Amino acid sequence: MAAAAAPQEPEPGASFRRYLARLGALRPQPGVERPDGDRRRTELHLLFDQLISESCGPAAGPSPQDVCALLVQGCQLVHLHQEHLVSKFCQLVYHLLNRFQVVVDEQSLNLLLSYCISALKQCSSWTHVEILQALAALLYNNGPRCQQHLPALLGQAGLLLQLSAAAQPHLELRRAAVHSMANLCLSVPGQSYLEEPYRSVCFQTFLSVLQTAKTSEVDDITFCMLLQSALKGIQSLLNGGKMKLMQTDQIGSLLAVLKKCMFHGLPGLSIEVPPALYPAPLPQYDRRSPLKQEQPEPATCKQPGGRRKKSKGKQRKEESGEEGGEDLGDAGAEAALGAEMLKLQLGDVQSRPGLDPQAQPSGAAQLPMGKDLSAPHSSWKRISSSESEYSDAEGGIQSKVRSYQASVRQGALGCFLSAVKSIEKRVLYGYWSAFVPDAPGIGSPQSLSLMTIALKDPSPKTRACALQVLSAILEGSKQFLSVAEDANDHRRAFTPFSVTIASSIRELHRCLLLALVAESSSQTLTQVVKCLANLVSNAPYNRLKPGLLTRVWNQIKPYIHHKDVNVRVSSLTLLGAVVSAQAPLPEVQLLLQQPSCSGSASSGSTTPARSSSEPWRKAAPPAGECPGAPAGSSPEPCWLLRLCVALVVLPREDSCPAAASLPAFPSLYEPCPLRLEALQVLALLVRGYFSLAQSYFLELGEVACRCMEEMDPSIQLHGAKLLEELGTGVLQQYKPDSAIPPDQRVPVSRVVTFWTLMLNGPLPGTLQNSPHATLQTSACDALSSILPEAFSSLQSEQQILCVTLLLGLNHSENPLVKAAAARALGVYILFSCLRQDVMFVADTANAILESLHDKSPNVRAKAAWSLGNLTDTLIINMETMGQSFQEEFSDLLLLKMLRSATEASKDRDKVKSNAVRALGNVLHFLQPCHVANPRFREAIQDSLQALIRTVQSEATMKVRWNACYALGNVFRNPALPLGEAPWSSQAYSALCSVVKSCRNFKVRIKSAMALAVPRSRQRYGSPQQFGQVWAALVLALQKSEDTEDFLEFKYSASLRTQICQALLHLLSLAGSTDLPVIQQSIGEQGAAIGAYILQYLKAGAEESEAGGMHRDWCERERVVKGAIEHLGGLEKQLEGKARVKVSEYLEGVLANHARATELTEA
């Protein structure tokens, strides 16, 4: 019975269809008596009222088709002369479309838009607000489908233009028109955007609205809504994609109104902004009311008792939304208290570099979670509504006004964010001083900037918006900020631009740290920390006075243990930015070496101090007994390293103790984003400060292993990246040019232990079985970072495992994995213990050649690089192992390599640059039996033509540089008929052309080196060919300073040295038939050539005196003397027939050099 009595659920939309049927009944039917006009009008009123009331309630949503049908019937029933009905029908359109988010079909949309446009033209002005509201609802997200109505709305006499004009006396009507225009500009991804000239018309209209000054008779809330609509319109245009701000006046006008709206209604401030801002390197003049100017910056004045009095009276509440305004009268004094709080928080960093901010009795440790120190900031920013002097009614109105004003500020900042993304950065930074704070001058007020909002706005959402904009400006500003410098005291009559930017960077640090201390909203606090991280990532700390990063470091430590996970993650991001900023920085090195107690205590979360008793941690050796640790390193573990490891591998403090012994389970650990960020910080720490991290080399390897054993692929991925950084750090230490003494490197035995741990752990399984291609790619990169000396000491089973894994992954179907495997094989082929194994070289060559024909350009590029390395190995083996290796290597494989490299030289430049390198090496490796083999003949000819074409091509300079180097390698092979074959003249002509005229001096240098390679006169060919090479080198010597690119000048000395060496080499090989060409050039240009050769000899002597190679100087003189002796013998054979004796000419150059050297020594 009870079940039977229960009411049935009404079908969704059933009541709406009943209204639709009632509305249809009012339409005149053929043969049915037409109802009385008054009665019909009354029924329509009643029906519309009921529909509006239901659309405001929780009724089930009708179908879009029913809504469109009802609206179409409504506009057909309501005639335009029935203005009250028109007004009510437009209200219904507005309510239905907004309440149920209906997408109107195109036919209904056109009908309803035409109705609204006609109503605006014919109905009285008192109906226009409701009509415009309906129009705005119809236009929302439908702009691209309204093309046919644009002339009527936005044409020269367009309705929206007329109603939104500055001459419109009715502000609510103007607001509704601007709102409709803004909805029209809203773009939908994948559809066409508003085109010119309508886009410019709308932009100028919105700009004009924002430039409108508020008069006293205008209602505050209506004016705010007008500004919001205009800001929304501009943001829609900017987000559309096609609206790019290029013109200076357009940008300046927009930024000026945005700056004005950013501060709209902000308590305690009155700002007057000029009609346009202009790009300038110095801060622009801020005109503010003298009655409401802030107090001068209070950084140097202390008010000892004021803080306590304030803290007793006003406790800051947790911010959940819009809050009360600021006490206008005490703005300056409260700002002083805020700055004083920052001073208390920071302390004297220079005198107390190791002070723990968490240990301060009333310092930052309690600040993120407690309220003890937040009272001064609450009084500084705002007062609660209960303490205001307004009555309840007045307070309600004021609160509503403040809420609307805050929305305007948020809209302006959102629009500014879109503008930042639409303006080219180099243009945007011209307005830096208008929005970014600079240190105030003595006695002058602080300029109004984004930081003013971030510090003083009562709305946490608005503060977060300001910080987002500042972050967007700072993102990618590294090049602009790189000019900053204040490391030296500048005592000049003017302030250099570099000092101005440095001052701005310091002020940004000061203000952001002040915001960090003052902020209580977790969401806004996250933005503060992210903004700091962006600043740290782009500021040139190596050009600034130290201390900035120390303040950031000490201030951010407590927030690692904040109750909000997002704050903790962003704090780790900031620490990662600190350790990666121009690493290694001495200031950060000192911070990392601080005692662990400076950051180990907190009431918030996991404490790094616990990590010493955990299984991951090996017993730290006593000071002085740590193998591989740098001399003088602190025996205390690095605080940041221990913190990150604890966050990654230790269970949460609030997890069940009994569960700690269970296998890895995600809920036991810190939240995944926090662990990922900690792993990234560890990787950055290892990359930038490996000398500190190497003391925990094996422990960090265990951390990477544990991460790769987990189920979460993102944790596995970052574990593999940490492993790669550890391997790369060791490789850097063992580079031939490394400045690290051998006794301070990680011992090879420890590296072997490390990789044994990895190969016995999860790394092979990850490489073989992972379904995640990105993870396999990172694991492959990690495996390629093994130290060659350590690889040779691994057990043979582990060596075979590594090689087998890489050869297998080279057949992966995923291009990322295949590219990583091809690159890793290119690394392994250079290992001394593998490159002498003919079978491994052959297997690797086949694998690389297979990848060289892959459809992925990235795979082909990596395979070409590896092929270049493999052919380098062939040359090394030929020189060290001799004939035995060449005979064992397969002729068929060699031919295959030659053909594949020739084909790859026609590929894109990234492939081509290494393909030509490989061609040069293979052609150098060929033996006489290969050259004589008919099967090789065509391949050799094709490969040589490919090299010559590449030298002469307009490819990138790296490609041509490698091609010249490859031809030099070809010239080194005595088995090739250089000087006799037809391709010889083509090769010499190509190199001669490049050495004379290539724009890039490095390419010229390589071509000059290649021209000096042949060891005998016969290999230069005919006298004409020899003369061509000589003349080209002489001309190149004279043009060695001719370049349009200033950056090439730094290579001009090296170019001259190489050309002089090539000329002297030619002179030492010249035959009697070559002398006429040489004599003629010396007769015509002897003074210039002699000056360059003298400079060449002098440069060698100067390098020797400066501690360079004495052998090089002696070698230069020996080459000149050898050329003199050789030429003297030739000239003696000619028995005085020579017009100009080249040997005597060189003797004169050498004598001049000797005299100059004697004068220098005297």
Side-chain angles (χ1 to χ4, degrees):
M1 293 292 291
Q8 292 185 351
E9 288 291 329
E11 182 187 350
S15 63
F16 194 85
R17 280 194 289 274
R18 285 198 297 272
Y19 288 120
L20 184 59
R22 288 174 57 189
L23 196 63
L26 294 175
R27 297 182 65 181
Q29 303 291 333
V32 179
E33 184 181 352
R34 182 172 182 143
D36 179 69
D38 291 338
R39 185 164 61 85
R40 181 167 168 269
R41 191 161 45 246
T42 304
E43 287 186 22
L44 281 174
H45 273 293
L46 180 61
L47 192 57
F48 288 164
D49 286 336
Q50 291 173 336
L51 278 167
I52 290 172
S53 64
E54 285 214 9
S55 70
C56 296
S63 68
Q65 294 82 2
D66 288 344
V67 174
C68 292
L70 185 141
L71 294 179
V72 168
Q73 285 195 24
C75 71
Q76 290 171 347
L77 286 170
V78 177
H79 301 293
L80 295 180
H81 65 273
Q82 299 170 320
E83 294 188 344
H84 284 89
L85 270 178
V86 169
S87 174
K88 191 162 289 186
F89 172 69
C90 288
Q91 291 178 42
L92 178 63
V93 172
Y94 172 77
H95 280 285
L96 287 178
L97 295 183
N98 280 345
R99 170 68 175 84
F100 300 116
Q101 299 296 304
V102 175
V103 178
V104 184
D105 64 89
E106 192 154 354
Q107 185 178 357
S108 302
L109 180 67
N110 286 328
L111 182 65
L112 290 167
L113 285 174
S114 299
Y115 181 85
C116 289
I117 291 170
S118 300
L120 285 172
K121 291 178 179 177
Q122 298 180 32
C123 295
S124 304
S125 59
W126 69 267
T127 64
H128 286 182
V129 171
E130 285 76 15
I131 298 171
L132 286 169
Q133 283 182 341
L135 182 64
L138 289 165
L139 292 173
Y140 184 78
N141 271 347
N142 287 319
R145 299 196 293 161
C146 303
Q147 299 296 318
Q148 67 187 61
H149 302 284
L150 290 179
L153 294 172
L154 299 176
Q156 287 188 349
L159 292 169
L160 292 182
L161 287 186
Q162 292 178 9
L163 295 172
S164 61
Q168 174 57 246
H170 191 347
L171 193 65
E172 180 61 32
L173 189 58
R174 188 184 184 195
R175 186 207 65 78
V178 172
H179 182 59
S180 297
M181 192 182 293
N183 282 2
L184 182 59
C185 295
L186 191 64
S187 59
V188 179
Q191 296 188 22
S192 59
Y193 301 112
L194 194 65
E195 296 293 339
E196 291 290 356
Y198 300 119
R199 193 167 58 234
S200 296
V201 165
C202 292
F203 181 81
Q204 289 301 325
T205 301
F206 297 141
L207 204 59
S208 158
V209 169
L210 294 175
Q211 290 169 340
T212 303
K214 179 183 176 300
T215 56
S216 56
E217 65 272 8
V218 173
D219 176 58
D220 283 329
I221 292 178
T222 306
F223 186 72
C224 287
M225 293 172 69
L226 174 66
L227 295 180
Q228 278 181 267
S229 298
L231 289 167
K232 174 187 170 186
I234 289 183
Q235 189 170 7
S236 297
L237 287 173
L238 293 176
N239 290 342
K242 286 194 174 183
M243 184 76 185
K244 288 294 180 185
L245 297 171
M246 303 297 292
Q247 300 173 1
T248 304
D249 55 344
Q250 192 181 46
I251 296 171
S253 300
L254 175 61
L255 294 182
V257 295
L258 289 181
K259 183 168 185 178
K260 183 177 76 169
C261 292
M262 278 162 41
F263 296 97
H264 181 76
L266 188 61
L269 294 178
S270 175
I271 178 172
E272 295 179 22
V273 179
L277 297 176
Y278 297 96
L282 297 176
Q284 298 194 10
Y285 175 60
D286 259 334
R287 295 169 58 199
R288 278 176 284 170
S289 169
L291 296 178
K292 295 187 178 180
Q293 278 188 355
E294 296 179 10
Q295 298 293 327
E297 191 58 38
T300 56
C301 65
K302 291 190 177 182
Q303 299 178 4
R307 187 171 60 90
R308 287 197 189 93
K309 291 177 183 177
K310 287 283 181 182
S311 63
K312 289 178 182 177
K314 299 176 184 177
Q315 291 294 326
R316 184 178 194 169
K317 294 188 287 186
E318 286 293 320
E319 296 177 50
S320 58
E322 310 302 334
E323 299 194 16
E326 186 178 17
D327 187 346
L328 307 185
D330 294 337
E334 288 160 358
L337 288 173
E340 188 64 29
M341 279 306 308
L342 181 60
K343 287 183 65 180
L344 289 173
Q345 186 67 14
L346 294 176
D348 187 353
V349 175
Q350 303 299 331
S351 61
R352 299 181 292 171
L355 180 64
D356 175 15
Q358 302 183 36
Q360 297 179 28
S362 59
Q366 294 80 20
L367 192 65
M369 292 169 288
K371 300 181 182 179
D372 297 340
L373 295 181
S374 59
H377 304 289
S378 64
S379 64
W380 172 50
K381 280 189 177 177
R382 50 196 165 274
I383 58 175
S384 66
S385 58
S386 62
E387 294 177 290
S388 69
E389 297 178 0
Y390 299 114
S391 66
D392 290 343
E394 289 172 329
I397 295 171
Q398 288 295 324
S399 177
K400 190 174 181 182
V401 169
R402 284 197 296 269
S403 176
Y404 274 93
Q405 289 171 341
S407 296
V408 170
R409 298 197 294 274
Q410 291 160 23
L413 290 165
C415 192
F416 191 10
L417 186 61
S418 298
V420 168
K421 296 174 182 177
S422 301
I423 302 173
E424 195 177 347
K425 280 294 174 77
R426 64 180 181 83
V427 177
L428 177 67
Y429 291 141
Y431 302 91
W432 174 273
S433 59
F435 298 98
V436 180
D438 189 16
I442 299 174
S444 63
Q446 178 72 55
S447 60
L448 292 180
S449 66
L450 288 165
M451 280 312 307
T452 310
I453 302 171
L455 286 167
K456 297 191 174 183
D457 200 291
S459 163
K461 187 176 179 182
T462 312
R463 299 198 296 273
C465 289
L467 290 162
Q468 280 182 315
V469 176
L470 184 56
S471 281
I473 293 173
L474 289 171
E475 191 174 349
S477 62
K478 184 171 288 188
Q479 186 176 0
F480 171 70
L481 296 181
S482 64
V483 302
E485 184 176 15
D486 70 348
N488 301 317
D489 291 330
H490 296 273
R491 297 183 178 180
R492 305 179 187 174
F494 66 96
T495 303
F497 182 67
S498 59
V499 177
T500 302
I501 297 299
S503 170
S504 184
I505 292 173
R506 289 191 168 278
E507 184 66 8
L508 270 175
H509 279 80
R510 189 189 73 82
C511 292
L512 285 170
L513 288 177
L514 181 56
L516 186 70
V517 175
E519 191 55 64
S520 67
S521 166
S522 295
Q523 291 80 5
T524 310
L525 188 59
T526 303
Q527 292 300 328
V528 174
V529 181
K530 285 182 178 179
C531 194
L532 261 173
N534 249 336
L535 174 60
V536 170
S537 299
N538 291 283
Y541 293 100
N542 52 350
R543 295 168 60 89
L544 303 173
K545 292 177 182 176
L548 290 176
L549 287 175
T550 303
R551 296 184 181 93
V552 172
W553 181 273
N554 287 334
Q555 278 298 100
I556 201 60
K557 277 184 178 181
Y559 295 90
I560 298 294
H561 312 291
H562 195 273
K563 61 185 177 182
D564 188 280
V565 173
N566 292 323
V567 175
R568 298 176 71 192
V569 171
S570 57
S571 300
L572 282 175
T573 305
L574 175 53
L575 287 171
V578 170
V579 297
S580 60
Q582 296 100 50
L585 280 176
E587 183 181 359
V588 178
Q589 188 104 10
L590 289 173
L591 289 172
L592 290 170
Q593 291 173 341
Q594 283 181 358
S596 59
C597 62
S598 64
S600 62
S602 173
S603 59
S605 182
T606 304
T607 55
R610 295 167 49 234
S611 60
S612 59
S613 62
E614 297 297 329
W616 73 270
R617 186 74 180 97
K618 305 293 184 188
E625 298 179 15
C626 181
S633 64
S634 170
E636 284 283 346
C638 171
W639 167 80
L640 182 57
L641 187 145
R642 292 182 64 190
L643 168 73
C644 292
V645 169
L647 291 173
V648 172
V649 304
L650 296 187
R652 293 200 313 263
E653 281 190 338
D654 57 358
S655 62
C656 176
S661 59
L662 297 175
F665 192 71
S667 63
L668 293 176
Y669 295 102
E670 295 287 353
C672 186
L674 193 65
R675 300 179 71 206
L676 291 176
E677 200 63 43
L679 280 169
Q680 290 192 54
V681 174
L682 274 178
L684 292 170
L685 182 61
V686 169
R687 183 190 302 172
Y689 298 88
F690 186 75
S691 59
L692 286 174
Q694 70 182 62
S695 301
Y696 315 99
F697 187 62
L698 295 179
E699 291 86 340
L700 289 171
E702 289 186 25
V703 172
C705 272
R706 286 190 58 169
C707 290
M708 293 173 69
E709 288 170 350
E710 293 199 19
M711 299 300 294
D712 188 336
S714 57
I715 297 289
Q716 291 177 304
L717 175 64
H718 283 78
K721 289 185 179 296
L722 175 60
L723 177 58
E724 183 187 357
E725 291 294 347
L726 289 165
T728 305
V730 175
L731 284 174
Q732 296 293 331
Q733 285 192 336
Y734 280 86
K735 273 189 172 182
D737 57 349
S738 173
I740 299 173
D743 62 330
Q744 293 184 18
R745 300 173 184 173
V746 179
V748 175
S749 59
R750 185 176 295 182
V751 183
V752 173
T753 305
F754 175 87
W755 282 106
T756 302
L757 174 71
M758 297 301 115
L759 294 171
N760 291 336
L763 183 59
T766 302
L767 286 164
Q768 287 174 305
N769 305 321
S770 174
H772 303 284
T774 309
L775 176 56
Q776 275 187 303
T777 303
S778 290
C780 208
D781 291 338
L783 193 61
S784 69
S785 66
I786 187 170
L787 184 70
E789 293 88 336
F791 184 87
S792 61
S793 300
L794 290 173
Q795 296 179 4
S796 58
E797 296 86 358
Q798 292 171 327
Q799 293 181 359
I800 293 170
L801 174 64
C802 293
V803 171
T804 306
L805 285 170
L806 293 178
L807 288 172
L809 288 172
N810 193 71
H811 297 287
S812 171
E813 295 181 359
N814 187 282
L816 289 174
V817 178
K818 192 169 186 176
R823 178 191 169 277
L825 286 171
V827 173
Y828 275 48
I829 197 66
L830 297 175
F831 289 0
S832 58
C833 62
L834 292 177
R835 69 174 178 233
Q836 297 176 0
D837 184 343
V838 177
M839 293 304 297
F840 171 73
V841 174
D843 289 343
T844 303
N846 282 312
I848 290 172
L849 291 177
E850 189 266 333
S851 294
L852 197 61
H853 295 94
D854 194 86
K855 62 182 180 181
S856 166
N858 187 40
V859 172
R860 298 199 303 273
K862 300 293 184 185
W865 179 82
S866 295
L867 183 62
N869 284 5
L870 187 144
T871 54
D872 286 343
T873 294
L874 296 183
I875 302 302
I876 295 171
N877 287 343
M878 181 180 71
E879 294 171 350
T880 56
M881 299 173 64
Q883 196 75 19
S884 61
F885 180 85
Q886 292 171 300
E887 291 173 354
E888 287 185 54
F889 198 79
S890 166
D891 290 355
L892 191 61
L893 182 56
L894 197 63
L895 181 60
K896 188 178 177 182
M897 290 169 63
L898 195 60
R899 286 173 175 166
S900 295
T902 303
E903 191 64 28
S905 69
K906 303 171 187 174
D907 207 330
R908 58 182 64 193
D909 283 354
K910 284 188 176 181
V911 179
K912 188 185 297 184
S913 61
N914 285 297
V916 295
R917 176 165 72 102
L919 275 179
N921 284 329
V922 174
L923 290 169
H924 184 192
F925 183 79
L926 294 176
Q927 301 306 299
C929 62
H930 301 131
V931 178
N933 190 332
R935 295 170 62 190
F936 275 82
R937 193 170 299 149
E938 184 181 355
I940 292 173
Q941 187 65 31
D942 290 345
S943 60
L944 286 166
Q945 291 300 324
L947 285 179
I948 293 167
R949 280 196 307 271
T950 307
V951 169
Q952 295 173 324
S953 70
E954 293 299 320
T956 59
M957 296 310 160
K958 183 179 180 181
V959 173
R960 299 179 73 185
W961 185 93
N962 276 349
C964 291
Y965 181 80
L967 275 180
N969 269 338
V970 172
F971 292 175
R972 286 186 171 87
N973 189 347
L976 293 171
L978 181 63
E980 303 170 7
W983 56 264
S984 301
S985 60
Q986 295 175 328
Y988 281 123
S989 297
L991 290 172
C992 289
S993 172
V994 168
V995 81
K996 291 185 293 186
S997 59
C998 184
R999 297 193 312 273
N1000 187 280
F1001 276 20
K1002 291 173 76 175
V1003 177
R1004 292 198 206 182
I1005 290 169
K1006 282 298 169 186
S1007 60
M1009 290 174 69
L1011 289 171
V1013 166
R1015 296 290 95 189
S1016 66
R1017 169 63 189 84
Q1018 291 76 15
R1019 295 179 69 77
Y1020 280 101
S1022 65
Q1024 292 78 11
Q1025 183 67 64
F1026 185 92
Q1028 180 190 358
V1029 174
W1030 171 269
L1033 288 170
V1034 170
L1035 182 59
L1037 189 63
Q1038 294 172 329
K1039 296 172 66 176
S1040 60
E1041 295 179 2
D1042 297 346
T1043 178
E1044 297 176 0
D1045 189 350
F1046 179 76
L1047 296 176
E1048 295 297 326
F1049 275 112
K1050 60 183 176 182
Y1051 301 112
S1052 59
S1054 298
L1055 175 61
R1056 285 192 294 272
T1057 296
Q1058 201 57 56
I1059 293 174
C1060 287
Q1061 287 177 353
L1063 287 172
L1064 291 171
H1065 176 70
L1066 289 176
L1067 288 174
S1068 64
L1069 296 178
S1072 56
T1073 54
D1074 304 320
L1075 282 180
V1077 174
I1078 298 172
Q1079 290 168 346
Q1080 181 181 356
S1081 67
I1082 286 178
E1084 295 173 356
Q1085 299 157 334
I1089 297 172
Y1092 283 121
I1093 295 177
L1094 189 63
Q1095 186 180 4
Y1096 165 72
L1097 293 169
K1098 182 182 177 185
E1102 289 174 349
E1103 289 173 11
S1104 175
E1105 290 174 6
M1109 297 287 289
H1110 180 70
R1111 186 177 58 189
D1112 181 58
W1113 174 39
C1114 296
E1115 180 67 19
R1116 293 187 185 192
E1117 285 197 355
R1118 189 190 64 75
V1119 170
V1120 174
K1121 289 176 181 177
I1124 291 171
E1125 185 178 345
H1126 172 74
L1127 291 168
L1130 284 179
E1131 289 165 351
K1132 190 177 292 185
Q1133 292 175 9
L1134 293 175
E1135 298 177 349
K1137 293 180 182 178
R1139 292 175 298 168
V1140 179
K1141 290 196 173 183
V1142 182
S1143 60
E1144 292 181 359
Y1145 168 79
L1146 285 178
E1147 285 174 350
V1149 172
L1150 199 59
N1152 288 338
H1153 172 62
R1155 283 194 296 272
T1157 304
E1158 289 172 2
L1159 287 172
T1160 304
E1161 291 175 352

